[in-house]
Structures are given as structure tokens and as C-alpha cells.
Amino acid sequence: MPFVPRFLAVLALLTLTGVANAQAPAKPPSKSDPAERAEYIRSHYTKFEYRIPMRDGVRLFTSVYVPNTAGAGKRYPILLTRTPYTVAPYGLDRYSPRLGPSADFEKDGFIFAFQDVRGQHMSEGEFVNMRPHQAMKRGPKDIDESTDAYDTIDWLVKNVPHNNNRVGMWGGSYPGFYTSAAAIDSHPALKAVSPQAPIADWFWDDMHRHGAFNLALAFNFFASFGKPRPQPTAAEEWERFDHGTPDSYQFFLDMGPLSNADAHHFKGGIAFWKDIVAHPNYDDFWKARNILPHLRNIKAAVMVVGGWYDTEDLYGPLRTYSAIEKQNPGTSNMLIMGPWMHNGWQRTDGSSLGDAEFGFATSHFYQELFFAFFKHHLKGGEKPELPDALVFETGANRWRSFDSWPPKQARQTRLYFQPKGGLAFTPPTGTGNLFDEYLSDPARPVPYTAEILPGWSKNYMAEDQRFASRRPDVLVYQTEPLQKDLTLAGPLEAELWVSTTGTDADWVVKLIDVNPGKIPGWSKADDEGGKRNRGGQQTLVRGEPFRGRFRDSYSSPKPFKSGELTKVRFVINDVFHTFKRGHRLMIQVQSSWFPFIDRNPQTFVPNIFEAREEDFVRATHRIYRAQAHPSFIQVNLLPALGE
């Protein structure tokens, strides 16, 4: 089946100009009513269940759906997903209501395989979170997720009838990690992989941010996922934790020090929580779970997918793409980054998130491109001319293509903190110890969202920040209204000169797009029509916390000396955003972001997970902005198109 003309037109536009018209996205992928889709699958596929033996004898439960038209000269590729979250429903007479990433895959004809990873649900063996990769394997007992994927693929192509000896893998979040692992030293039949929002290193994504603990996500996730499974089970539902309140901010504040999580709630029943507590620093336990150095000997074509507004795994796709690019010269490796929440490219149409609007259904073009990628590599379909990086430019609301990410044409510069809350590209000229200060109180931490909810927010990464900027414990720096569009592309880096009256501190830096107070063209009719007036809105573009104790080493933390001027420098995840003419660029600095990040007691203790109530103290933090000690944010400016 050839590509649709609309897809070719937009792809050609991307290739030739590097930009896709925001008003002319590609044709949406085919859609069907969920009931109709489920009925189509039931009518056109036959389900099989296998227990596939691994090299060490452990058997992994795998559901396989084969098109009814297989045979009579027809062969189909295998699309495999490995997951710790269950391949339910179990039973040959019970069918999944969706098999492919979209209905297009099901209608075009693929063999779909879903596997419970080792030690989860119906598979045998022991489950290990982020199982470390073994680079050296001396025998059949040396297993990891790469060997399990290899053995699975080898068995499938040899035992599932009517396959064409070509396999693809995809998965988002934890399944994204398993997809990355499968690409290492991959099976010859594995031709294409798409790690989506892949976990890379839990000291920087999901469970931590620069070592600062992601309290709301980690607690809620492991309260269900972390429960033991001593024997294979066909149970299909996770038991959700009951907070007893819809207000997670109040729940975690009332919980008190982190040690109360286990004492009051888990009561020793969550093994990995105990591992987290035992390893507060970046030691061998966490380093062994970093998959990035092992992403080598990859022969399959790669499409890494991520979302600019992914609260869980933004670090993962950016670093996975970069590691594969550097460690596998000659391998086809592509990055797609859209304006999406976690797995939003599958779950939403991508037209908006939180207080940000993107102008059109951004997921549709990606889904069509994704289908074309797998169809080419697994079925021999027409080869799409794919850029190395297809990235969505928020603010301008358009797709852009580049031959690398970050773009080579971007240039580094600095935005310096100025007197009276100013922000400018020129260094400060003042002399002496010029600073701004605020009182940080662990009993009244700055919330990371204005939403009231029991879990963690999916919208906070594009939320209006006026609720925070009006607090006395949040410093605000902003430019004058911009005279022309300003585009930032690539990673940011914060360099702060600080001091504290305590002996430990967190530093949270937020990059914000400030709308003009009066929206051009706004009319009384807009108000009367119920349209939202975004005048003055402070839309979050990127935020990053840093645990100050790790300023010199993530493995060997050290306290601050009370009152001593100290430099703190850390990388902030990439952005691709245009601040439009008339907007302002704002930086907010604070020392809590609760309960997304746990509270720093502000008294240095060897292990914050073991901090006591009396360790939590108020402290005054200063940010310096003098000529001798300038605080700034390093950014990458992308020239305007045509410059």
C-alpha cells in the first residue's frame, strides 16, 4: 500500500525547507470506534499463547496474534512488545481490543506478540527493576533483558508459522527500556525498533532528577507496582493505593519525613523502596542500571520518540538518541520529539496540554510516519525520507527537521540575572555582594502544580506559573518585551552563585514564556464567547530541580558551609521553543517543588530518607548577581529561518 499523497507532500516540505506548515498537518491515521476495532481484531486474527524458553530454562509467557489470512503464500512480520505491566487478557478465547500502535497496523496485517517480562505476571523467574546489562556473558546463566529479547525473537521466527523472518519492537516508558535493551547485540531478524519515552537512568528520570527524589511519582508507582509476585499470576489489575484524600500535597506533607513512607504505609512490603532508601547517592547500584553506555552493536533501524512535556521520561529519549548516535556510527537513528505528555503521542491527539495550545492535532503526523517506518523495514514498503531529528517547535507551533539534535547552527549564549528582577544577555556590572534572597520553609514548600489531585500531574509541565511567582519564596527574573522572536534549541545549563544559612538546599530553575498582558486583537466578543484570555499567562516551558549536596559529585555529597558563597552548576533538559515578539522570557528560582520533589530538610544529613522531623529547618537562600559572581542560564539560540 503506497503512502497517501498528503503524507508525501508534508514529508517533502520537511525535507526541503526544514519546517512544516502548522496549518497543514498530515492526514490523520485511520480510526475506528473502539468496539468496531475490537470486533475487527476478533474477526481477523487468531490468538495463541506460548511459554517461550530462555537460555537458562526460564519460560516467558507470550501472547501472539496471527492474521487469519496467513498462509497461502502470505507471510507477515512480527511486531513485539515486552512489558512488566501484563499482556492481559489471558486465555485463548479472550482478545485484546487493540494490537497495534494504531488501527492501520491491524488492517495492514502484522503478527503481534506481547510478552510478560521475566518475573512478572504469567512469566517465570525473578523480576529485577531496570535489570543491569551484562556486557560480558560467559554462559547460559548470564542473562539480562537483551538476552531475553534475543531468545524470544529467535524462538518466534523459528516457531510462529507464516512469519517473514523480520521483527520489529516498540514500547513506551518501561517497555521503552526493554525495546532499547533488545537493540543491544540484537538478533539478526530484528530490523526496526522504536524506544518511546524509554527509561535510561533512574537517577535522572522517573525516580530522581539530578538525585532529587521524585516523591509523588515513586511513592504512587511502587505502592502498586512494587508489590511482590512470588508465583506466576493471571491477575490483570493493579491494586491502587488509597491516599484517603484527593490532595497529594497535603497527604505527603502530613506524612512527614520520608522514613514515614515505609513505617506508616509500606510496612516493609515494597522491596525496591528499601533499595531506594539504601542508595541515596549515585553509587554502583544506580550506575549498573544506566543502560546508556551499553547501547552498542545496534544493527536495527531506530526511531526514538519522546515528548517535550513528559513529566516522567524526558531525559530518557534525548539521552538514548544521543548515545545510539555516538556509539553506533552508520546505524539509522532518528529522533522524534513532539509537544506531548508521557506517551501522549498514543493517548492524545496532541492539540494541547495544560495551559499550552499547539494549533492542531500534532499526534496525527507522527502516527502516520511511525506506521511508514515499520512498514518499510518489516514489509519492504516505500522508503520514507526521514530527517535525523523531527522536532516540534513549541511557541511557534510547527514541525521542524534537522540533520542532528541539538541543531548544529544553534549558538551558545547566556541570560544573566539582573537588578530589580531583570534578565538580559549582557553580564551584570554591579560590584560587591549583590544578591536576592528568600526564606525557604520545609513546612510550607512551594507546590509544583495548582491542581488538586491524588497522583501526579500530567499538565504541570505546561502550567501557568502565576500561582508560584506571587509567593515570597520564589525569585522572578524576566526580560523586557521581546522586539523579535527568540528561539531556544537544545539543552540549558544553570550556573548559580548561592549561599544559605542552612547546610543543604535544593535549587529549582524554571524557564517560562510570559504572554503580553493585553492580547493583540482581543475583543469584547472573545470575552462574551467564553474564549479564554491568556493575557499575562506565565506558561512553563521547562523546569529542573537540583539537589545542592551533589554540586561536586553525585556519588559523594557534601554539606554547604553556612553563609559561604558557593557555585552550583547543572544541566537542564533540552527545549525547542520560540518566545514570540511581545512576550517575555522569565526565569523563576525556588528551593522546593512539592510533592513532585521531596522536601530537603536544609540540614545536611548523610541520607535524606532517614532525616528526622527536627532536621527540617527554615533557611535563607541567596542568589548572587554581581560582576564577580554572576548567576546565569546558558541557552542555545537558533537563528531565524533564512538568517
Side-chain angles (χ1 to χ4, degrees), residues 236 604 619:
E236 298 175 5
F604 183 87

Side-chain angles (χ1 to χ4, degrees), residues 21-22 41 131 136 150 172 175 188 197 241 261 281 330 370 387 403 419 449 469 509 568 570:
N21 187 335
I41 292 169
R131 187 186 300 274
M136 297 295 294
Y150 189 102
F241 181 83
N281 307 322
F370 181 59
D403 58 8
T449 179
S469 65
V509 173
V568 172
F570 60 97

Side-chain angles (χ1 to χ4, degrees), residues 32 62 75 79 99 159 177 179 209 224 246 257 278 310 367 421 483 512 528 533 582 591 631 635:
S32 59
T62 310
R75 294 182 176 273
L79 198 57
L99 301 179
N159 291 277
F177 160 76
T179 302
R209 299 292 186 277
S224 297
D310 188 340
Q367 288 169 0
Q483 299 302 305
I512 294 161
E528 293 174 347
N533 190 331
S591 288
S631 293
V635 301

